[in-house]
Amino acid sequence: MMKNSGANPDWLDRYKKKIIVGIVSLLTVTIVAAMVFIACTMRSRLLQDSRVRAEELGTVIHSSLEHLMQTRNAGRMQSTLVEIGREDTALVGAFIIDNHGKVAYSSRVKEVGAVFDRSTDISCRGCHGGPVAVPHDTTTNIVVDGKRVLRYVHVIENRTSCHGCHAPSVRINGKLIIDRSLEPTYTLVRDVILIITLSGVISLLVLVPLLGRLLAKGVNTYIGEIRMKSAELAVLYTVVERLSTTIELEELKRIVIAIISEALDADQVDMVLPSDYHEMGAMVWTKPGNTIDRKKVTGGSHLQEVIHDWFDGRLTNHAVVNGGREILMPVSKGGDRLALIVVRSAAGAFEESRLTMVRAMANHIAVAFENAMLYHIAITDELTGLFSSRHFRQAIAKRYALYHEFGEKMTLLMVDIDNFKKVNDTYGHPAGDAILKDVGRCILSAIRDDDMGFRYGGEEFSVILPRSSVKAGLAVAERMRSLIEHFPFRADQHVLQISVSIGVASWPDSAETIKEIITEADKALYEAKRRGRNRVVVLTKDDA
């Protein structure tokens, strides 16, 4: 019995050890298998995410450069690539090569002029695989200068708008190539694998329940940060895409206000441009009305003080004031003031995460404003400050497309200064230019922000009133005529009384095509002259 009693513990001990070893082995195999599976899955998904981000970045950069290609602004394209290379720390290189493999533009200036041989260059063979192979993918992992990068190739197709520089017979003008570093991704992969391995070992030894909770909490925090960064990056890509949809200044201002109000969940956004400084005007958006209006900034107000600080150079960086409920956001580029944005919250202080997002958007907003202002200068008549006659053709074609597709009304005013030749003959052309400039100011004062005034030619002007009926057009025209009639025009020491005749026509009341509405407005203008000048005329069926 004693022998048997002594044998039982040995037997139990042997099986107990085997059971423990079996459970531990099973647990070890399970944990190791789970760690390997998780590591492989996360590695694959992180690499796929980097691949998607590289493709999105290439698309965004191409969208940003597309209008520069069409305007043949080579210097601006090169400087834009260099600036992108500076701002994006993960970007190894961004360059454009022509059909012969020659680098035309590059974020690294020293590479401009280099030639890629796709049959021998190892960075090209990843896609081409030989001298005649067709690329099987637009994104591939390669090694450039000893660094692992994700190369994305965006083909620049020869569209109709490109035929001014490229022969129509050529299918492809070149390629935009983005090299984005994979080192941060691989570092993240290694860190995640290391965390999982250490956690598994410690869990096997002692602290499975405790470290399980701590690890879950840490991983959740880590994943939350990744999700937050990913969300910020997605928002930033969306912002850049929205900003690149237009280079028209008025439309861009509205887009920027919408972006800022959404990103910050603001209650009010004020925007001031340098041209508004002397008149102390601002564009104002408020959440309750969800509309954008122009307002006069009254003397002694807080906003007026901020505007003075900005224009006098005392406000150059972002500032959070009023207990975190107000953000002062000056937008500048190369020392040039482009805009001042003031954002307010009525409920409480802005969240820090939202402020970080706005700071990231600031450079992109500055670039968009700079491009829009350059375009605005190009389409503006230097003397009067109105749009040029060339832009009139583009603007009315755009309005016609909206009318033809959606039935959106539009009224056209044709304005001519009465007896202007007599002014030039009597007081000289400098006095005539001064009168033209003052008439332009009167026209801008009489119309809304959405309306567009043009110097049509000589002493003749035109005004496009979107979404306006004939009745509304007559009211604007009469306000304009009266304002000009009572304006104190000056020539030398003389105060002159100047008048204008205005012809009015509209879609669909007067015309159905661009040619018809211009012709009808011209006829109405001629009729105003015939009836004695200084009047507004719209032709009726009886007049026709």
Side-chain angles (χ1 to χ4, degrees):
M1 291 292 295
M2 292 294 297
K3 271 184 158 183
N4 289 340
S5 297
N8 285 338
D10 293 338
W11 179 82
L12 291 175
D13 286 339
R14 287 197 304 269
Y15 279 93
K16 178 180 172 182
K17 291 177 182 178
K18 289 181 180 179
I19 292 171
I20 292 174
V21 169
I23 293 174
V24 170
S25 299
L26 180 61
L27 183 60
T28 302
V29 171
T30 302
I31 292 177
V32 169
M35 287 191 297
V36 171
F37 175 77
I38 292 171
C40 292
T41 302
M42 291 191 70
R43 180 181 183 278
S44 175
R45 292 191 177 181
L46 286 170
L47 289 174
Q48 179 62 27
D49 182 72
S50 296
R51 184 188 188 98
V52 171
R53 296 303 177 196
E55 293 176 355
E56 291 177 347
L57 179 61
T59 302
V60 169
I61 292 177
H62 180 262
S63 299
S64 300
L65 294 177
E66 188 171 14
H67 76 277
L68 294 177
M69 296 178 187
Q70 295 178 359
T71 55
R72 309 177 188 177
N73 195 336
R76 188 59 190 156
M77 288 175 62
Q78 175 61 36
S79 62
T80 299
L81 284 176
V82 171
E83 185 173 348
I84 291 171
R86 277 200 305 266
E87 292 180 353
D88 192 338
T89 55
L91 191 70
V92 175
F95 47 93
I96 298 175
I97 63 174
D98 61 21
N99 288 331
H100 303 291
K102 182 178 180 181
V103 178
Y105 308 95
S106 175
S107 60
R108 296 183 292 189
V109 179
K110 64 180 181 180
E111 291 183 350
V112 175
V115 178
F116 283 75
D117 185 352
R118 71 178 189 180
S119 62
T120 59
D121 194 298
I122 191 170
S123 66
C124 300
R125 295 182 64 188
C127 280
H128 292 274
V132 296
V134 177
H136 56 81
D137 199 355
T138 59
T139 309
T140 185
N141 298 351
I142 61 172
V143 177
V144 176
D145 296 333
K147 298 179 180 178
R148 289 176 291 189
V149 302
L150 195 66
R151 170 161 289 183
Y152 169 69
V153 180
H154 185 97
V155 174
I156 303 174
E157 298 179 351
N158 189 15
R159 300 178 180 175
T160 304
S161 58
C162 304
H163 292 173
C165 292
H166 301 275
S169 58
V170 178
R171 186 174 64 87
I172 296 174
N173 292 334
K175 297 179 180 69
L176 169 64
I177 299 178
I178 306 297
D179 284 344
R180 191 171 178 84
S181 176
L182 281 174
E183 294 304 326
T185 301
Y186 279 109
T187 300
L188 181 60
V189 170
R190 287 195 298 270
D191 291 344
V192 171
I193 291 175
L194 180 60
I195 291 173
I196 293 174
T197 302
L198 291 176
S199 301
V201 171
I202 296 174
S203 297
L204 287 172
L205 293 175
V206 186
L207 307 173
V208 173
L210 178 60
L211 287 186
R213 294 180 182 179
L214 294 177
L215 182 61
K217 184 178 180 180
V219 169
N220 287 338
T221 301
Y222 193 56
I223 290 175
E225 291 178 357
I226 292 177
R227 286 177 176 171
M228 185 177 69
K229 294 296 182 183
S230 179
E232 290 179 3
L233 187 59
V235 169
L236 187 59
Y237 281 130
T238 302
V239 166
V240 173
E241 186 176 10
R242 290 173 68 180
L243 291 175
S244 64
T245 58
T246 183
I247 55 174
E248 292 188 4
L249 188 58
E250 290 301 321
E251 188 174 353
L252 178 65
K253 289 191 288 187
R254 295 177 179 277
I255 290 175
V256 170
I257 288 176
I259 289 172
I260 295 293
S261 63
E262 292 170 10
L264 288 173
D265 191 23
D267 293 296
Q268 181 174 330
V269 179
D270 300 335
M271 177 181 289
V272 181
L273 268 62
S275 58
D276 299 322
Y277 174 71
H278 296 291
E279 297 180 357
M280 278 296 163
M283 293 184 69
V284 181
W285 172 89
T286 55
K287 180 182 284 186
N290 195 27
T291 58
I292 299 176
D293 301 303
R294 286 198 65 85
K295 77 172 185 180
K296 194 81 171 178
V297 180
T298 57
S301 67
H302 171 61
L303 181 58
Q304 187 182 67
E305 294 177 4
V306 172
I307 293 173
H308 281 309
D309 288 343
W310 169 63
F311 203 80
D312 294 340
R314 293 188 293 273
L315 177 62
T316 57
N317 298 315
H318 296 171
V320 181
V321 298
N322 194 18
R325 294 194 297 272
E326 184 172 282
I327 301 172
L328 310 180
M329 185 177 172
V331 180
S332 62
K333 188 73 174 173
D336 295 330
R337 287 182 293 268
L338 301 175
L340 171 66
I341 302 172
V342 179
V343 193
R344 296 185 178 89
S345 171
F350 289 103
E351 299 175 12
E352 183 61 32
S353 60
R354 294 182 182 272
L355 297 179
T356 303
M357 195 178 302
V358 170
R359 294 189 190 103
M361 293 189 297
N363 287 334
H364 299 287
I365 291 174
V367 170
F369 264 115
E370 184 181 42
N371 293 335
M373 287 182 175
L374 289 173
Y375 177 70
H376 185 75
I377 291 172
I379 62 174
T380 301
D381 176 64
E382 185 176 5
L383 177 63
T384 62
L386 301 174
F387 291 117
S388 64
S389 58
R390 180 179 180 183
H391 188 57
F392 170 79
R393 294 189 289 272
Q394 298 174 355
I396 200 168
K398 183 176 180 180
R399 302 313 312 180
Y400 179 72
L402 292 174
Y403 165 66
H404 191 265
E405 185 171 357
F406 302 108
E408 188 173 291
K409 294 181 178 181
M410 187 204 83
T411 297
L412 175 66
L413 311 182
M414 298 299 287
V415 184
D416 189 78
I417 302 176
D418 297 328
N419 301 314
F420 185 71
K421 184 176 183 302
K422 183 178 179 181
V423 173
N424 277 334
D425 292 342
T426 305
Y427 300 101
H429 288 282
D433 287 347
I435 288 174
L436 287 172
K437 184 176 182 180
D438 286 338
V439 169
R441 290 172 57 192
C442 290
I443 290 174
L444 288 175
S445 298
I447 62 179
R448 305 166 300 180
D449 286 343
D450 288 345
D451 301 333
M452 304 178 71
F454 305 84
R455 186 181 180 188
Y456 197 68
E459 68 271 22
E460 189 173 1
F461 304 86
S462 60
V463 178
I464 291 177
L465 306 175
R467 300 177 296 279
S468 296
S469 63
V470 172
K471 183 178 179 181
L474 285 170
V476 173
E478 182 57 35
R479 181 168 66 245
M480 187 185 303
R481 185 205 63 78
S482 177
L483 183 62
I484 293 171
E485 181 184 22
H486 296 95
F487 188 87
F489 295 93
R490 295 186 178 276
D492 297 331
Q493 302 300 320
H494 303 280
V495 177
L496 306 181
Q497 184 177 19
I498 300 296
S499 65
V500 294
S501 300
I502 304 177
V504 182
S506 73
W507 286 320
D509 301 300
S510 308
E512 289 290 336
T513 67
I514 295 175
K515 182 177 180 181
E516 287 176 0
I517 196 171
I518 295 175
T519 300
E520 290 300 310
D522 273 332
K523 287 180 180 179
L525 173 60
Y526 177 79
E527 181 63 20
K529 295 282 189 181
R530 191 186 69 80
R531 294 181 187 179
R533 300 182 175 86
N534 192 23
R535 66 191 64 239
V536 177
V537 171
V538 58
L539 294 180
T540 63
K541 292 182 179 180
D542 294 336
D543 295 322

